[in-house]
Amino acid sequence: MVSNFSKCSGHRKYTLALYRYTLRNLNYYYPYSSVVRSEVKKVLLLQTKQHQNNISSWSVYKRLNDLKLMNEYLEASDTSKISQLLQKYCAKKRLQNDEHLDVSPAQPIKRKSKDDKPKFKSYVALLQRQLELPAYIPKHYLTTLVQPWALHHKYKKKMLNIKALMEKGPPKVYMSYTSVGPAKFWFLRSMMIKGRRQPKSVGVYIRNLKHDGQKNLNQYYKCVEDVQWAWHEAIWEHYLLTGEILSGNPMSLTKNMMPDELRSQSTDKDSKKNDDLKFPPSAKEWFEPFIISIRFLADKSNKVVKTLQRKHNEVKQGPYNYYKKKTFNVHKQKLRRFAKMEEELSNVNPYTSSNNLKSILLRWKIISPE
């Protein structure tokens, strides 16, 4: 069977030689034109990468023939023909010199608000099922009569939901926490401290605590692994000196410094067995530096726990009471404003833009503008 041309070494050598020859001609005939050099190199590199595995003989032949023509144009310094050949492979068409861009300021796009075309079809269908509206309603009556009434019904439901929510009492102010390593970081939650109102420094502080806690835990696991290796070396050295094999586990010395997940894995039986165990000085020399490191990491974790507990107590004594009182006052003002707004409801007219239910709710800041 005849093999494909791409597997022939002669084809690869010719293509590579022509590629290098083009680059040499480009630098030789256009040493001062960085635009021509960059454009030709960009198209050449792109076509080479895209058709590296192309097995279509006709497609590859056309591109090699164009590359041969490119070298002829380079030797003749014919920039116009080089440009025409490049445009054949460029994805974006260049603007001609006689074309001009329209730089006049664009007209601002008027975006329609949500209430320009309200979705009141479901409301109309509901009234039709209840036989309060006829099956066919002309479009003119839909926009002039039914649409304002549908909007009135929509904002009436909103108003009743807000009223029911306000009758439940002021929003809660509570303490929430997130686990950061061995401790819990407590922070306030209230209607005035949520979402974008949450201080960014709190998030940064939490991320730093979690990063430090994970780093501390990783170092602890590394020390535990090193202790085990050092213990094996100590057993071997003690056996060479005395002919006896040491028993026990040096990790029993750090059982009170273990993280919670590791402490649960060690049984009381093992800890009692190693409580009174005494290791010879020659063995301690191997693992004692790692025990000191573990003790240092444990002290560091305990400091973080104490610091966060102190901050928790400070927040409960100060800011917690402040925001609780402030939330109560804000809720009281809302109730007073809502009561005054209800006095105007007797004059509501769904068919006037200045005195419909939506305008009244916006005027008294019961709802926010959409």
Side-chain angles (χ1 to χ4, degrees):
M1 183 180 289
V2 179
S3 60
N4 190 266
F5 70 93
S6 60
K7 297 182 180 179
C8 299
S9 60
H11 168 73
R12 290 197 296 270
K13 289 180 181 178
Y14 175 77
T15 305
L16 186 59
L18 189 59
Y19 179 84
R20 291 173 176 172
Y21 182 66
T22 306
L23 294 179
R24 285 197 298 270
N25 282 339
L26 193 61
N27 293 328
Y28 181 77
Y29 291 103
Y30 285 90
Y32 303 110
S33 179
S34 59
V35 176
V36 175
R37 290 202 310 273
S38 64
E39 290 295 326
V40 173
K41 285 181 181 179
K42 184 166 60 176
V43 174
L44 183 60
L45 183 62
L46 181 64
Q47 292 297 317
T48 305
K49 285 186 176 181
Q50 286 181 350
H51 299 277
Q52 187 175 5
N53 299 319
N54 192 351
I55 59 174
S56 173
S57 58
W58 180 246
S59 175
V60 173
Y61 171 76
K62 286 195 300 181
R63 282 167 174 78
L64 289 176
N65 193 32
D66 287 341
L67 189 57
K68 187 178 178 182
L69 287 174
M70 175 66 71
N71 282 281
E72 294 178 1
Y73 297 153
L74 288 173
E75 292 173 359
S77 299
D78 195 342
T79 309
S80 61
K81 290 187 177 180
I82 292 174
S83 178
Q84 291 176 4
L85 192 58
L86 289 177
Q87 287 180 2
K88 181 179 177 181
Y89 294 99
C90 286
K92 296 181 180 179
K93 295 182 179 180
R94 296 181 180 177
L95 292 173
Q96 301 296 331
N97 294 331
D98 55 347
E99 291 181 350
H100 300 283
L101 288 173
D102 184 12
V103 293
S104 58
Q107 295 294 329
I109 300 174
K110 295 182 179 179
R111 296 184 178 180
K112 295 184 177 181
S113 63
K114 293 183 179 180
D115 290 337
D116 288 346
K117 291 184 178 180
K119 298 178 181 179
F120 59 93
K121 291 183 179 179
S122 58
Y123 179 70
V124 173
L126 175 64
L127 295 181
Q128 287 174 342
R129 285 196 299 269
Q130 295 175 354
L131 303 178
E132 296 183 14
L133 285 177
Y136 171 74
I137 305 173
K139 189 176 180 180
H140 174 70
Y141 292 117
L142 274 176
T143 54
T144 57
L145 296 178
V146 182
Q147 178 178 342
W149 190 255
L151 288 175
H152 178 79
H153 178 74
K154 171 187 173 182
Y155 286 101
K156 183 180 178 181
K157 286 180 66 176
K158 275 191 177 183
M159 183 189 67
L160 293 177
N161 290 336
I162 293 172
K163 184 177 181 180
L165 193 64
M166 293 173 67
E167 287 176 351
K168 291 181 179 179
K172 292 182 179 180
V173 179
Y174 59 96
M175 299 288 294
S176 183
Y177 74 89
T178 180
S179 297
V180 284
K184 293 179 180 178
F185 177 75
W186 293 85
F187 52 93
L188 274 174
R189 287 291 192 190
S190 74
M191 61 175 291
M192 288 172 284
I193 312 176
K194 64 178 181 180
R196 294 182 179 179
R197 297 177 182 177
Q198 181 77 33
K200 293 183 179 179
S201 57
V202 175
V204 174
Y205 187 62
I206 290 174
R207 287 192 293 272
N208 290 337
L209 284 175
K210 288 189 175 183
H211 179 267
D212 293 342
Q214 186 61 45
K215 184 179 178 182
N216 207 37
L217 190 61
N218 293 340
Q219 290 174 349
Y220 175 83
Y221 283 124
K222 184 65 172 62
C223 288
V224 169
E225 184 180 354
D226 292 339
V227 167
Q228 296 298 333
W229 282 108
W231 176 239
H232 293 156
E233 291 292 337
I235 292 174
W236 176 247
E237 186 178 276
H238 187 75
Y239 176 75
L240 293 178
L241 293 175
T242 63
E244 298 178 357
I245 297 178
L246 290 174
S247 61
N249 186 2
M251 288 306 298
S252 62
L253 301 175
T254 62
K255 63 179 182 296
N256 294 327
M257 297 181 284
M258 290 183 181
D260 294 337
E261 60 268 22
L262 290 183
R263 195 178 302 164
S264 61
Q265 297 174 8
S266 62
T267 60
D268 295 337
K269 185 178 179 181
D270 294 335
S271 60
K272 289 179 181 178
K273 186 189 296 183
N274 296 317
D275 274 344
D276 301 327
L277 190 62
K278 293 183 179 180
F279 300 101
S282 59
K284 280 188 176 181
E285 291 177 356
W286 283 94
F287 56 79
E288 194 169 15
F290 303 110
I291 300 296
I292 294 173
S293 298
I294 291 175
R295 190 174 291 112
F296 171 77
L297 294 173
D299 293 340
K300 187 177 177 181
S301 297
N302 291 333
K303 286 181 181 178
V304 173
V305 172
K306 290 179 181 178
T307 301
L308 294 182
Q309 187 62 39
R310 177 174 52 81
K311 289 189 175 184
H312 178 215
N313 296 332
E314 290 176 356
V315 170
K316 285 189 71 175
Q317 293 174 2
Y320 177 80
N321 296 327
Y322 167 77
Y323 281 105
K324 192 172 182 180
K325 185 178 180 181
K326 191 172 183 179
T327 303
F328 179 78
N329 292 334
V330 170
H331 181 70
K332 196 174 180 180
Q333 291 176 2
K334 282 186 176 181
L335 287 175
R336 195 181 302 118
R337 193 166 63 246
F338 194 88
K340 290 183 179 179
M341 184 270 302
E342 286 182 323
E343 296 176 359
E344 290 191 17
L345 294 181
S346 57
N347 300 324
V348 170
N349 186 355
Y351 299 99
T352 58
S353 59
S354 60
N355 208 29
N356 57 14
L357 186 56
K358 178 186 176 182
S359 63
I360 293 176
L361 293 175
L362 287 173
R363 192 183 309 144
W364 287 96
K365 297 181 181 180
I366 304 300
I367 61 172
S368 57
E370 297 177 350

